[in-house]
Amino acid sequence: MRDQEPLSRPAGPRLSTKEAAELLGVKPETVYAYVSRGQLTSRRAPGGRGSTFDAKEVEALARRNRRDSGGGSGSGGELSVRTRITLIEADRYYFRGVDATELAARHSYEEVAEWLWTGQMRPGATFTAPEAAAAVARRAVDALPEHAAPTDRLRVAAIAAAAADPLRFDLSEEAVLGTARVLIPTLVAALPPVLHDHGDGGPLAHRLWTRLSGRPADEASLRALDTALALLVDHDLAASTLAVRVAASARAHAYAAVSAGLGVIEGPLHGAASGLAHRLLLDVLDQGSAAPVIADELRAGRRIPGLGHRLYPGEDPRARALFGLLEQIPRAEPAFAAAHDIVATTARHAPLHANVDLALAVLTASSGMPAAAGETIFAVARTAGWIAHALEEYGERPLRMRPSGHYVGPRPPQPLPE
């Protein structure tokens, strides 16, 4: 990186790199990133040690960052956060500018996660949980009641892993990436196995399968699960991802940021949506037709799960990619046909396309997995995306995700309550 100096600029107060970073609320490395992007100019400090920055230019950039972040603007519009991670556009979505469905088709979940974090592909990347961390997480999860939901287990595993890591407060990129590569397999290792496996090695999808299904997996099914993980790794500022960025904005460590995401994902409008689609699919398989099942849902005034998406007026690209793999698996044929029946029956009154929750339901129902399995797949997959967003937020001004409340209560002064 080369220091840039304008040909003519009036002399004014100069800031050191540390002072500029404090004013902008970012790390010193980010200050130099602004220089490389042409957003700041720097001048070599006297004596050749470090760089200095024009105070007015730094202040102007700080104001622009606050305005662009949407935090506390009081504009009343939707929160807007600049990100380089995911773009959703015209019924397609992209990870760092690359078509996400093509990435998922050609690369493993671990490789896609590395791309999301670093913008570099690491062929053959695998995530392995240290036995000590996995043992701590397992003991904590084993103490839960038998009826504990998968997200309960994942939250407890994340907290236990955090408590066992004395270096968790190191928010440098290298440290956070190290945490990510250990935390994700630890979450999987902490889930009680349904099928006997041979340790915690190999691709993450293989290890996760043994926690979700009692059936031996064929290669086509494992590929479908691995692709589902890669497709679900991120989806812009979903509710859980926003919670993660708020936590990271307050400089919560990576485990705590992931815990914030896990707390939000349990809602029926987010991670739990695939479970509702799974149960609907089983009802259709039991009845032999979607018509009476859909009729009952509509009569009860319930929304049909697994259909439509607010970000995709047309077809959900994640569903399309996953269905393409599932239709090649013979034992998935009944569930696949039931899903098509649901879409066709509902289309008589609402032309909605299948979304990824319905595709996940076909995968889980045809693989002998419980209804909550889709939520587990979603949470494990999305953890990588949450880490990517936390890393991005650590490079921004602290506490910028702090909008102002619009008070609508009684105007003061009010009398003291009796």
Side-chain angles (χ1 to χ4, degrees):
M1 190 187 319
R2 180 177 300 171
D3 283 322
Q4 301 166 356
E5 183 175 350
L7 294 177
S8 60
R9 178 183 291 276
R14 307 289 300 178
L15 302 178
S16 68
T17 302
K18 180 181 178 182
E19 291 169 335
E22 289 175 349
L23 184 58
L24 290 164
V26 299
K27 295 181 290 187
E29 304 92 89
T30 306
V31 174
Y32 288 108
Y34 285 138
V35 174
S36 69
R37 295 197 291 263
Q39 294 173 279
L40 278 180
T41 54
S42 63
R43 182 185 301 169
R44 186 72 65 185
R49 292 194 169 190
S51 301
T52 64
F53 302 84
D54 182 275
K56 291 184 178 179
E57 191 178 42
V58 174
E59 289 167 359
L61 178 59
R63 288 194 300 272
R64 192 160 63 247
N65 284 351
R66 287 193 293 269
R67 184 178 67 248
D68 292 347
S69 71
S73 64
S75 64
E78 291 188 0
L79 181 67
S80 177
V81 178
R82 293 178 304 164
T83 177
R84 294 173 175 268
I85 299 171
T86 301
L87 170 68
I88 300 174
E89 189 175 71
D91 287 341
R92 298 176 73 179
Y93 71 124
Y94 306 85
F95 293 154
R96 295 191 181 275
V98 178
D99 188 288
T101 58
E102 292 182 12
L103 271 174
R106 291 169 170 78
H107 296 279
S108 70
Y109 165 69
E110 291 95 319
E111 290 170 344
V112 173
E114 291 285 350
W115 171 257
L116 211 64
W117 296 334
T118 67
Q120 297 178 351
M121 187 57 67
R122 289 183 60 206
T126 56
F127 301 154
T128 304
E131 185 49 43
V136 168
R138 283 195 198 102
R139 286 197 297 271
V141 168
D142 289 346
L144 293 172
E146 285 189 14
H147 63 266
T151 45
D152 295 327
R153 300 178 191 276
L154 292 173
R155 281 200 302 271
V156 168
I159 293 168
D165 183 1
L167 303 180
R168 62 188 179 276
F169 297 103
D170 185 347
L171 302 186
S172 66
E173 182 176 345
E174 183 179 0
V176 173
L177 286 175
T179 295
R181 294 172 184 134
V182 167
L183 174 57
I184 295 173
T186 297
L187 296 179
V188 173
L191 295 172
V194 180
L195 183 70
H196 177 71
D197 63 352
H198 302 285
D200 290 320
L204 192 85
H206 295 205
R207 285 170 270 160
L208 182 58
W209 180 279
T210 64
R211 267 76 180 175
L212 299 176
S213 176
R215 298 179 184 173
D218 55 86
E219 282 302 314
S221 297
L222 288 173
R223 184 185 173 209
L225 177 57
D226 185 56
T227 301
L229 290 167
L231 290 168
L232 292 168
V233 70
D234 191 56
H235 207 231
D236 195 34
L237 284 185
S240 57
T241 304
L242 181 58
V244 168
R245 291 199 76 127
V246 171
S249 178
R251 296 304 183 256
H253 55 71
Y255 299 93
V258 167
S259 296
L262 288 169
V264 175
I265 207 172
E266 197 170 8
L269 301 181
H270 197 9
S274 63
L276 301 176
H278 179 111
R279 294 182 183 92
L280 178 75
L281 201 61
L282 293 185
D283 287 345
V284 172
L285 287 167
D286 184 56
Q287 295 271 357
S289 171
V293 179
I294 298 300
D296 286 344
E297 294 293 309
L298 295 176
R299 188 178 299 117
R302 291 190 290 264
R303 178 178 176 271
I304 309 301
L307 299 178
H309 196 288
R310 62 186 293 266
L311 297 181
Y312 299 115
E315 191 175 12
D316 184 336
R318 302 168 298 174
R320 181 175 63 248
L322 195 50
F323 277 140
L325 294 176
L326 291 169
E327 66 181 351
Q328 301 172 27
I329 302 174
R331 71 180 178 191
E333 186 176 348
F336 189 73
H340 275 286
D341 194 9
I342 291 170
V343 175
T345 300
T346 308
R348 298 173 191 171
H349 74 94
L352 296 174
H353 295 276
N355 62 32
V356 73
D357 296 316
L358 189 58
L360 264 184
V362 172
L363 171 62
T364 55
S366 64
S367 301
M369 298 177 183
E375 187 175 353
T376 305
I377 295 168
F378 192 104
V380 170
R382 193 56 58 86
T383 300
W386 293 336
I387 294 290
H389 281 273
L391 274 170
E392 199 170 62
E393 193 60 40
Y394 289 148
E396 298 288 353
R397 177 174 55 87
L399 294 175
R400 72 183 185 125
M401 310 290 283
R402 196 340 187 149
S404 299
H406 179 57
Y407 179 74
V408 294
R411 295 298 304 169
Q414 296 288 321
L416 286 171
E418 295 183 0

